[in-house]
Structures are given as C-alpha cells and as structure tokens.
Amino acid sequence: MDCWTCEKAALGACRFCGRGACREHAQQRPYIVGLYRTRPGDDLRAVVVEDALHCGVCHPRGEPVPLPELE
Ligand SMILES: [Zn+2]
Ligand SMILES: [Zn+2]
C-alpha cells in the first residue's frame, strides 16, 4: 500500500477511510471506538483512541450522520 498523498510506501492505513499514509503525511486524530453506559440512565460515555492514524485527506464527522430515509 502507498501513501495517498505522495505515493511513497505507506506507514499504515487511515482508521477512518482506509487510505494509506506515510510518516510525513500521517496525522493523528481522536477516534471513537465505542459508546457505553456504566449503568442504565447514566450519561453515555465514549471510549476514544486519542492518536488514531488519520490520512489528512478524508473528513470524518464528529458525530454519526443520520441516514436519509429510504423509500
Ligand atoms: Zn506521503
Ligand atoms: Zn482517511
């Protein structure tokens, strides 16, 4: 796999979109792994990876996007 930006060998794949990124172009971005409640009625808490690999190209949304209704 090659870097999406410069086409050199990639260091890893973007956690959000799967594009490759080399050390020069890889960025870091918090990634929500999961959501949970400790007890019913408690606030929802997120398990977050603070430094997930980001390609710098895609634009992940901070919150889930509602799907348009399908007819
Ligand atoms: Zn690159
Ligand atoms: Zn990406």
Side-chain angles (χ1 to χ4, degrees), residues 24-60:
E24 187 182 344
H25 290 111
Q27 298 179 20
Q28 293 182 341
R29 203 185 163 103
Y31 178 82
I32 296 175
V33 180
L35 300 170
Y36 73 96
R37 283 179 220 274
T38 47
R39 282 180 300 181
D42 278 4
D43 288 341
L44 202 58
R45 292 167 192 272
V47 181
V48 178
V49 177
E50 289 290 342
D51 56 355
L53 201 160
H54 177 231
C55 64
V57 180
C58 66
H59 301 281

